[in-house]
Amino acid sequence: MLVNDIKIIGGGSAGWMTAATLISQFPHKKITLIESPKIATVGVGESTLGLINSWMTLLGIEDEDFMSHCDASYKLSIGFENFYRKDSGQFHYPFGSPYIEENIATLNDWYFKKFLYPNTPVSDYAECLFPQMALVKQNRIFKNEQNQIPSFNFKADVAYHFDATKFGLWLRDHYCIPKGVKHQKAEVKDTKVNDDVGIEYIVLDDDSKVKADLFIDCTGFSSLLIGKALKEPFESFEDVLPNNSAWATRIPYKNKKKELVGYTNCTAIDNGWVWNIPLWSRIGSGYVYSDKYISDDDALLQFQKHIKKGDELEYKHIKMRTGTHKRTWIKNVCAIGLSAGFIEPLESNGLYTVHEFLLRLVRTLQREYVSQWDRDVYNSATKTLFIEFKEFVAMHFALSHRDDTEYWRDIMNRLYSNCLLYTSDA
Ligand code: FAD
């Protein structure tokens, strides 16, 4: 399959990140993004991981270019609160490596300390091993240009909190369109499937038929091309990750100096967990839960109680589809973003899968001619990435010992056998 004419369907952050990546790496290919002016983007996705820096570097994007346009702030860590027991408190998972002087200390020394002094709080682990925790604790950031903190690489280890919708729009206006991406506002209302090529053409709302060498499905949870048209089976993660719903809101700062912290905080509550993401001009917050254990209305009340807010804020309800399509690249259709799959928001994996899939897509398209073997390798690599991350996220729940609600008791008694090399059924 020769790939010169690429049509990206969908203008959420996945769509524009795809367009930006392709135009930066393949400026001579014809890249078009088609998005419906009527179907809204998912409108969340505010916390990223440090690996986004490799993608930014590939595209030549500097912090100064986009941060002020996207309500961005720096993120150094993720805090987890009350996941272990109801009032077990907070511990951090800072970015960067643990600082271990060769032959002097090992990671296990901390467990020895905990053994000798059982009252040592678990929060001490990160504070002991990650000097960059001093920045998190003091709410500071610095570029570490003289390598004062040897285990901390500012360029690679610091991630961002940003408004993903604004980031998509920034990419559109300041990166993609100036570099030559064609932008078309139209809704795909039909698809013509062909067993040999995949999708022969799509039909837009003005009845025009559009062909492409490669269609990239960035249509979000609706998964229009890979799911609805090609009917690729969807493998759910519900067995280990029960959350399927969220309420999201935006909270104005009361005391910005104190509240604009350099980390995303995740607090486990009765039927799931709440994110707190401090952007530059506001806080993003949301409650991720399973509607099997609580109604949407009651979940909203629980969320409002937790954030100590009421109807003065606007709340958006989101239904999530967690799992992944068996394959994400079939014939001339490749899915990137929520259309390919989603784990759940814990550990900020949504945009992470977007940029990591894109790095693999670039590697494949560099071959010019794409064979079935190339697609198989791509599918295997992206599937591994999804499954490993799913298992990592599932561990946050599997390790919980909460038993204060039916939700947490069920979590504690679930079988996480798919996430372990060895399990017993006992
Ligand atoms: P969308 O934003 O839904 O965009 C879909 C696009 O497709 C839209 O432009 C729409 O108009 C278009 N479209 C749909 N149908 C058609 C059609 N028929 N014709 C033409 N166009 C069409 N990720 C993170 O990295 N960090 C987070 O903190 C985070 N939090 C999240 C919290 C929740 C509750 C959820 C659900 C997700 C979260 N994510 C997070 C994931 C993140 O939001 C997404 O990965 C990211 O926004 C990409 O979305 P998308 O572009 O795939 O889909």
Side-chain angles (χ1 to χ4, degrees), residues 107-119:
L107 276 176
N108 287 335
D109 286 353
W110 187 84
Y111 295 100
F112 191 51
K113 177 180 177 186
K114 175 82 177 154
F115 175 72
L116 285 178
Y117 306 101
N119 290 335

Side-chain angles (χ1 to χ4, degrees), residues 47-49 75 78 264 344-352 389:
S47 196
T48 62
L49 295 177
K75 172 183 174 190
I78 308 178
T264 295
E344 77 123 274
L346 201 65
E347 289 284 356
S348 318
N349 59 76
L351 295 169
Y352 165 79
F389 214 124

Side-chain angles (χ1 to χ4, degrees), residues 9-16 34-49 164-165 186-189 204 218-222 224 245-248 275 277 288 318-320 336-339 342 344-345 347-354:
I9 315 301
S13 35
W16 287 111
I34 300 172
E35 66 169 318
S36 163
K38 293 185 205 134
I39 304 172
T41 61
V42 68
V44 278
E46 297 168 334
S47 196
T48 62
L49 295 177
T165 308
E187 193 163 321
V188 178
K189 62 171 205 182
L204 301 184
C218 293
T219 58
F221 284 133
S222 68
L224 192 71
S245 311
W247 281 105
W275 77 73
I277 305 177
V288 182
I318 303 161
K319 278 276 162 223
M320 305 185 305
I336 306 255
L338 296 174
S339 58
F342 185 50
E344 77 123 274
E347 289 284 356
S348 318
N349 59 76
L351 295 169
Y352 165 79
T353 58
V354 173

Side-chain angles (χ1 to χ4, degrees), residues 16 27 46 85 112 266 301 369 377 405:
W16 287 111
E46 297 168 334
R85 299 283 295 173
F112 191 51
C266 306
L301 292 176
Y369 193 92
V377 171
T405 60

